[in-house]
Amino acid sequence: DTGVSQNPRHKITKRGQNVTFRCDPISEHNRLYWYRQTLGQGPEFLTYFQNEAQLEKSRLLSDRFSAERPKGSFSTLEIQRTEQGDSAMYLCASSKGEIQETQYFGPGTRLLVL
Amino acid sequence: GEDVEQSLFLSVREGDSSVINCTYTDSSSTYLYWYKQEPGAGLQLLTYIFSNMDMKQDQRLTVLLNKKDKHLSLRIADTQTGDSAIYFCAESWYAGNNRKLIWGLGTSLAVNP
C-alpha cells in the first residue's frame, strides 16, 4: 500500500520540549498539507506545500511551528517549546495538485503534551 | 465568507438509511467531498461530487447536490454498525495559487443494532 504515512503515530512529551513529526505523501503527489484536529472539531488547516515551496501558512501556525519539505517529497512539522494546548491529532494529506483537489490523508500523529 | 455547516449527531437503526446533510457558502466551490473518520484514525475519502452534477451514486452511497441552495447530502443505504463514525463535509476553495478544503465540524453517526 503506497498511501500517506506518518510517524510517529503517537507522541507524549513534556511541556517545553520540541517534537518533530514526519509525513511521507503518495509518491506522485506534489501537494502536501498539514492539519491539526482537536476532539470534536474538523481539521484545521496549518500549511501546505507545492513541491518544496511552502505556499500558505495559517495564522494558527505560531512562531513555534515550522514545516519543511526540502526535496519536495517527505515533510516534517516541528513544534518548539510545546504547550499543553498543542495536544491534538496532526494530520498530513497529499494531492496531485490538479483542479480536482482530492486530498488523501495519513493516519495522523496524536500528540499529548503533559 | 467560508463556512461549512453540518448537524452534529445522527442516530439510526441498523438496516435503515442514513442521510447526513451539509450546507456550504462558497458558490464558486468546484468540488465537494465526504470523508469518514473512525475513532482515533485519519480521514478516509468516501466520495466527491463535481459542482455541475446533481447526483452521484457509488454502491451504498448517494450524494445529492442542490447548488441553488448550497446543500449537499450523503445517503448511506442499509446502514451497518461498521458505518458508525464521524462524517465530514468539505468544499474546495481557491484563491489564485492557494487551494484548500474548508471543513465542517463533522456529523457523528451512531448505528444501533
Side-chain angles (χ1 to χ4, degrees), chain A residues 71-91:
Chain A
K71 297 180 181 177
S73 56
F74 72 92
S75 175
T76 56
L77 178 69
E78 182 183 15
I79 310 174
Q80 296 181 323
R81 305 181 302 282
T82 51
E83 300 173 357
Q84 287 184 324
D86 297 331
S87 296
M89 174 84 95
Y90 289 84
L91 297 166

Side-chain angles (χ1 to χ4, degrees), chain B residues 33-63:
Chain B
Y33 300 85
W34 285 104
Y35 283 83
K36 175 184 179 183
Q37 187 174 36
E38 297 183 37
L43 289 143
Q44 173 194 352
L45 175 68
L46 284 180
T47 187
Y48 64 88
I49 189 166
F50 186 46
S51 59
N52 68 354
M53 298 168 66
D54 298 324
M55 185 181 87
K56 181 178 180 181
Q57 188 153 2
D58 183 1
Q59 300 182 342
R60 291 191 298 123
L61 304 178
T62 303
V63 179

